[in-house]
Amino acid sequence: MRKCELTSLDKVFEKISSLSSLYLPVHQKNGAEFKKWEKGVKMSDALNTNRSAKDFFFPQAENLMEFKTEGKNIEVIDTRKENEDFVLFGVKACDVKSFEILDRVFLVDPVDTFYKARREKGVIISLACNRPSETCFCSSFGIDASNPEGDISSWMDDTNIYFKANTEKGEKLLSSLSDVTKECDDSSADNQKQKIKEILNKLPLKDLDLSEFGKDKTEKFFDAPQWKELSDTCLGCGTCTFVCPTCQCYDIKDFKTNDGVIRFRCWDSCMYSDFTKMAHGNSRLTQLERFRQRFMHKLVYYPTNNDGLFSCVGCGRCLSKCPISMNIVKVMKALGGKQDARQ
């Protein structure tokens, strides 16, 4: 394990940025966002970013290819460029876990080569949550906010930041920081872990019960009467899907230009009325069906197909961002018989 004083953290950032692009949470007008570090940029102390680090591996929009046409001839142009080496600093435990969920979608056959290339180029430096919020419930999914995963894990107290490498990529990066960090034992980081655990044990959602959900529960919940009341107030705005670190739905579209056609993909949302619209019509005609799809996927469908792993990491973004205060916690409590959906 290595450490550096917080007053010297910019030296660590400068060293990393000399080796590859460095991105970290930076305070913006409407909250923290991941931005590229340069001299003078200060890391935000916000609990989490508005949007997750998912964007670095699965961007909101990206070009896939181009087509040039001349008569009956079609030329397919691969527009991909070499991805940059980059480091994501300050990723919280919930967002680190989300990468495993996305990997099970994009890195299985047929492998998404766009996603794979970015995953191979990125190094994750996680940061333990010193001040977990009342909207956090990551512990319900077996995630330890005091001991985050990643290529390198880090902990911060009032005077120092501590680093521990977990992977070969992490070892390589941390060894390159030997001139701006010092070797240390685990005691200070362990003390910080204990302080965080004490906060986690006081959070209102720490005992959120997931025992009713999981694999092979489709029949139990699909026709549950609670779906109507839960979905009645849903606006179908898609906010929950766009701030979610594990949502992976996208659409592929062609855009005609003066020179040809650009094929691109962009995030989509199962909460939109045209999400399943095809030539024959729409297979989910009501907001109830669309609402049900989102939460059944998180709590039932995904774990059924992925060894019981839920497609939620308890980051709390949907709790804080939904304009009508509807979220996955209320859904779980209502379906599990723990709470009225209106509460």
Side-chain angles (χ1 to χ4, degrees):
M1 181 169 282
R2 303 191 68 83
K3 72 174 182 179
C4 87
E5 295 181 358
L6 294 181
T7 54
S8 300
L9 186 54
D10 276 353
K11 294 181 180 179
V12 173
F13 292 158
E14 187 172 5
K15 181 68 175 184
I16 295 174
S17 66
S18 71
L19 303 171
S20 59
S21 296
L22 169 63
Y23 299 87
L24 46 74
V26 176
H27 184 71
Q28 303 290 291
K29 182 178 180 181
N30 296 316
E33 300 286 352
F34 279 100
K35 297 293 182 182
K36 192 171 185 176
W37 183 86
E38 54 187 23
K39 286 186 178 181
V41 169
K42 298 298 181 183
M43 183 171 69
S44 171
D45 61 356
L47 169 66
N48 224 328
T49 50
N50 284 334
R51 287 196 347 201
S52 77
K54 173 179 72 175
D55 297 51
F56 287 91
F57 306 109
F58 175 40
Q60 185 172 354
E62 63 181 327
N63 290 344
L64 301 179
M65 63 186 73
E66 292 183 8
F67 303 96
K68 301 286 187 182
T69 60
E70 185 175 346
K72 295 183 178 180
N73 297 319
I74 300 177
E75 179 186 2
V76 180
I77 303 172
D78 188 344
T79 58
R80 283 179 289 189
K81 298 178 181 179
E82 180 70 20
N83 288 293
E84 65 175 0
D85 292 319
F86 66 95
V87 175
L88 291 180
F89 188 98
V91 183
K92 299 302 171 65
C94 52
D95 282 356
V96 176
K97 186 66 176 180
S98 74
F99 303 145
E100 177 187 348
I101 294 168
L102 296 175
D103 286 352
R104 291 182 180 231
V105 175
F106 293 112
L107 296 184
V108 298
D109 289 332
V111 172
D112 187 307
T113 56
F114 293 85
Y115 178 89
K116 182 175 182 287
R118 294 188 177 95
R119 285 290 275 141
E120 291 174 346
K121 290 289 188 177
V123 178
I124 309 300
I125 302 180
S126 62
L127 179 62
C129 296
N130 278 6
R131 299 189 306 276
S133 167
E134 62 181 11
T135 59
C136 296
F137 55 104
C138 64
S139 59
S140 299
F141 297 97
I143 300 168
D144 187 352
S146 72
N147 192 26
E149 300 176 358
D151 296 303
I152 297 175
S153 302
S154 67
W155 297 264
M156 190 181 293
D157 59 22
D158 292 336
T159 56
N160 297 298
I161 185 167
Y162 309 90
F163 301 100
K164 180 181 179 182
N166 304 315
T167 67
E168 185 177 338
K169 285 198 294 186
E171 290 278 6
K172 182 179 179 181
L173 178 59
L174 193 56
S175 65
S176 71
L177 303 178
S178 58
D179 58 335
V180 290
T181 60
K182 300 177 181 178
E183 190 173 353
C184 66
D185 59 28
D186 296 355
S187 59
S188 295
D190 289 340
N191 289 336
Q192 197 62 23
K193 291 179 191 178
Q194 186 57 40
K195 291 179 181 179
I196 296 171
K197 286 182 183 294
E198 290 173 1
I199 298 174
L200 292 171
N201 287 331
K202 297 177 182 178
L203 296 181
L205 298 176
K206 70 179 181 67
D207 294 323
L208 188 64
D209 185 10
L210 295 175
S211 61
E212 295 292 321
F213 305 95
K215 60 188 301 186
D216 303 326
K217 298 292 182 70
T218 300
E219 186 175 347
K220 177 179 180 180
F221 291 114
F222 192 82
D223 292 320
Q226 293 94 326
W227 289 119
K228 184 180 186 310
E229 184 176 4
L230 286 165
S231 63
D232 272 349
T233 56
C234 179
L235 303 176
C237 66
T239 298
C240 55
T241 59
F242 276 73
V243 299
C244 179
T246 68
C247 279
Q248 66 263 178
C249 293
Y250 62 85
D251 194 5
I252 295 178
K253 298 182 179 182
D254 288 346
F255 178 76
K256 191 176 186 310
T257 69
N258 291 332
D259 299 322
V261 175
I262 297 175
R263 176 164 294 174
F264 68 97
R265 72 174 171 186
C266 56
W267 291 355
D268 206 343
S269 174
C270 60
M271 302 293 267
Y272 292 163
S273 60
D274 61 351
F275 179 69
T276 51
K277 190 174 183 180
M278 295 173 279
H280 73 85
N282 197 325
S283 57
R284 297 190 195 117
L285 295 174
T286 67
Q287 194 60 34
L288 184 154
E289 292 171 295
R290 296 186 283 271
F291 183 95
R292 178 179 60 195
Q293 166 63 26
R294 169 171 165 75
F295 295 105
M296 285 288 283
H297 183 264
K298 299 289 185 191
L299 301 172
V300 178
Y301 302 155
Y302 190 93
T304 296
N305 295 317
N306 291 277
D307 306 312
L309 180 67
F310 288 97
S311 183
C312 176
V313 293
C315 69
R317 288 183 176 91
C318 62
L319 276 71
S320 61
K321 300 298 183 182
C322 178
I324 53 98
S325 298
M326 178 53 68
N327 53 70
I328 196 168
V329 171
K330 288 187 176 182
V331 170
M332 285 190 284
K333 289 185 175 182
L335 292 176
K338 307 295 184 182
Q339 168 180 306
D340 188 299
R342 294 166 294 184
Q343 295 179 348

